[in-house]
């Protein structure tokens, strides 16, 4: 018998989908037909199309309207986004990336109005995350939005009780050591910052080097600081993993497997990559193992959308 448990994203997302359904009902007086999410698809990528179909299905099962707008010519995407920003009947906008697969994609991302940015990719939201700012206004009535994949990982860690609610607010990860294998601007870097802002010591690993994100000794800083530990090497990774309570992977590579022997016995392992970054042998060492996170991410995306609707209504 295996000593630990595998926990599926569908189990973790359930309370959130129930919360979304309830909120959609509460919003009936102002959104009688349900809030409207528009997805823009301007590439031929079958994975993006599949993600769009899946988003649609989830939305519709929860009472949210979803409209996929497919563009044959990606050069018209910017104008289509700006038009959707102006359209009051649209509550949320998302783009299926890659579109140009270069820096222009980051520009397109910033074209989405922050009031409709369900993925939480607007610069303002990232800056709030990095600076540990939780609200959009001085009165602290409008909660900031978080990028949905890093937020999903946080919610997973809460579910797994890695977050300790007995600790003061904002310090729930005090004493925890985490390794995050991915430092992309979309997921890995904001995730490492979020965990460190909540009190963890985070080893952020990418293909080039390893960095340490912390709020300093005794959590003396209000937000995380970053220290370079050195170039990437197997030895350095192994050392960082020795005491790691949590290992999170997001390597976009089919052949990559995180070395099971680096996992401390009883550690928690989470993979957000679309590829299986852990070998099945991880189940022999991990106490809790979450092999995929997509279902929680989509719940966070829809949760973000309802928060945006509430924020917009509060401003009226
Ligand atoms: P990316 O290519 O922008 O970044 C990959 C990161 O992994 C980089 O920091 C890179 O240095 C690092 N990396 C690659 N190979 C490595 C190795 N051998 N050792 C250490 N680090 C290595 O990709 P991304 O946009 O962050 O997406 C990563 C994966 O996550 C993809 O599979 C993507 O489909 C998936 N993803 C999942 C969700 C979700 O909700 N589950 C959301 C977004 C992305």
């Amino acid at each position: 018998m295996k000593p630990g448990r595998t926990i599926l994203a569908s189990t973790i997302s359930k309370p959130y989908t129930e919360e979304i359904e309830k909120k959609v009902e509460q919003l009936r007086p102002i959104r009688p037909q349900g809030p409207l999410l528009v997805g823009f698809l301007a590439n031929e990528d079958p994975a993006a199309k599949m993600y769009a179909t899946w988003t649609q299905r989830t939305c519709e099962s929860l009472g949210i309207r979803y409209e996929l707008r497919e563009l044959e010519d990606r050069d018209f995407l910017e104008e289509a986004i700006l038009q959707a920003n102006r359209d009051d009947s649209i509550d949320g906008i998302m783009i299926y990336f890659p579109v140009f697969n270069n820096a222009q994609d980051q520009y397109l991302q910033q074209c989405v109005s922050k009031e409709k940015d369900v993925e939480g990719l607007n610069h303002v939201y990232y800056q709030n995350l990095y600076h540990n700012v939780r609200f959009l206004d001085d009165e602290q009535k409008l909660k900031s939005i978080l990028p949905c994949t890093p937020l999903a990982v946080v919610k997973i860690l809460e579910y797994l009780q890695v977050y300790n609610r007995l600790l003061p607010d904002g310090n729930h990860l005090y004493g925890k050591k985490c390794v995050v294998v991915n430092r992309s601007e979309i997921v890995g870097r904001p995730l490492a910052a979020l965990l460190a802002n909540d009190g963890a010591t985070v080893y952020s690993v990418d293909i080039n080097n390893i960095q340490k994100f912390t709020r300093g000794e005794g959590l003396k800083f209000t937000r995380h600081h970053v220290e370079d530990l050195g170039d990437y090497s197997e030895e350095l990774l192994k050392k960082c993993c020795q005491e790691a309570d949590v290992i999170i992977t997001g390597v976009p590579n089919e052949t990559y497997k995180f070395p099971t022997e680096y996992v401390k016995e009883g550690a928690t392992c989470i993979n957000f990559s679309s590829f299986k970054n852990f070998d099945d042998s991880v189940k022999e060492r991990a106490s809790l193992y979450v092999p995929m996170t997509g279902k929680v991410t989509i719940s966070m995306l829809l949760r973000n959308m309802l928060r945006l609707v509430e924020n917009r209504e509060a401003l009226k």
Side-chain angles (χ1 to χ4, degrees), residues 49 116 130 202 248 279 306 311:
K49 180 93 192 196
K116 298 188 179 184
Y130 285 126
V202 184
I248 302 163
D279 195 68
L306 300 181
N311 282 357

Side-chain angles (χ1 to χ4, degrees), residues 114-132:
K114 77 176 197 311
E115 285 74 25
K116 298 188 179 184
D117 175 17
V118 292
E119 292 186 283
L121 302 175
N122 189 277
H123 177 69
V124 171
Y125 299 141
Y126 273 113
Q127 197 167 49
N128 281 348
L129 180 160
Y130 285 126
H131 289 257
N132 208 4

Side-chain angles (χ1 to χ4, degrees), residues 51 148-149 152 181-188 205-208 232 249-253 256 271-275 292-295 297-298:
Y51 183 30
C148 52
T149 308
V181 190
N182 174 306
R183 203 185 305 124
S184 69
E185 282 302 308
I186 301 285
V187 196
V205 181
D206 87 350
I207 206 149
N208 300 312
Y232 176 92
T249 56
V251 175
N253 183 333
Y256 176 86
N271 170 54
F272 67 78
S273 169
S274 41
F275 300 101
M292 282 198 298
T293 61
K295 284 206 168 131
T297 302
I298 196 144

